[in-house]
Amino acid sequence: FFLDPVPSIVRGRGERMEPLSESSAERLRGVRLLLIKPSFPVKTSWAYSALAADPEHYLPAERAESRLAEWLATEDAPVRDLLFNNFEPVVFRKYIPLPTLKKRLERELDLPVLMSGSGSTLFALIENKEEVGSVRECVGDAFGEEGWVAEARIV
């Protein structure tokens, strides 16, 4: 996945990868992301156990595939319409700083924010350079020097 960095659909536990069609991949190219790493980790084994114990919050594969198919078929649908993370409800119940920071970034900066994988890293889709400084300030307020922010771009 990292050796051939093309926008892809990743299924299973990350072991099944399928490159997006050229037209779908083009919709993602150039999208800027901020990776937001809090000052604490979330144990992956705990997150999977918590999700398994709370299946109410798990989006079944059929619904996830339907959502993906709809996004792929709608040429002008923004990527933010596609994104979700099944882990957020269970992880956010235990790690309160994560939903607090997410809500602050969404409310104050109007950024779509999601947790990456099983946490604790969050990511935000960004459109302008000014937002980067504001996000860094929010993360510094929340986590001090132990938290960090990195910028990336989908190529």
Side-chain angles (χ1 to χ4, degrees):
F1 186 76
F2 295 103
L3 297 177
D4 187 18
V6 296
S8 300
I9 299 166
V10 181
R11 292 183 174 91
R13 294 185 175 141
E15 76 281 8
R16 296 185 335 226
M17 294 167 282
E18 171 190 339
L20 285 174
S21 69
E22 187 57 36
S23 62
S24 293
E26 192 58 37
R27 291 169 31 199
L28 298 176
R29 286 198 175 94
V31 170
R32 291 174 48 232
L33 305 164
L34 284 182
L35 302 175
I36 303 159
K37 179 65 174 95
S39 56
F40 56 87
V42 171
K43 289 186 80 172
T44 302
S45 59
W46 172 86
Y48 272 93
S49 295
L51 183 60
D54 190 2
E56 169 188 335
H57 290 103
Y58 191 80
L59 185 67
E62 303 79 38
R63 286 193 38 222
E65 291 295 331
S66 173
R67 193 171 169 166
L68 174 62
E70 184 177 318
W71 184 82
L72 291 170
T74 308
E75 290 187 23
D76 60 344
V79 68
R80 73 190 299 172
D81 291 352
L82 177 64
L83 302 176
F84 66 95
N85 187 326
N86 286 320
F87 284 103
E88 282 190 3
V90 294
V91 172
F92 283 8
R93 272 198 306 267
K94 180 174 181 177
Y95 296 91
I96 303 302
L98 295 175
T100 303
L101 180 60
K102 176 181 174 158
K103 286 177 188 169
R104 180 176 176 193
L105 293 172
E106 289 175 336
R107 185 181 62 246
E108 292 179 16
L109 303 176
D110 193 31
L111 293 176
V113 177
L114 282 164
M115 187 172 68
S116 178
S118 58
S120 65
T121 299
L122 302 174
F123 69 94
L125 301 171
I126 59 171
E127 293 183 8
N128 64 56
K129 214 54 166 162
E130 293 77 44
E131 293 170 332
V132 176
S134 298
V135 171
R136 288 185 195 284
E137 187 177 314
C138 288
V139 171
D141 289 348
F143 304 115
E145 293 181 13
E146 296 295 314
W148 54 261
V149 176
E151 186 175 349
R153 182 180 305 270
I154 297 175
V155 294

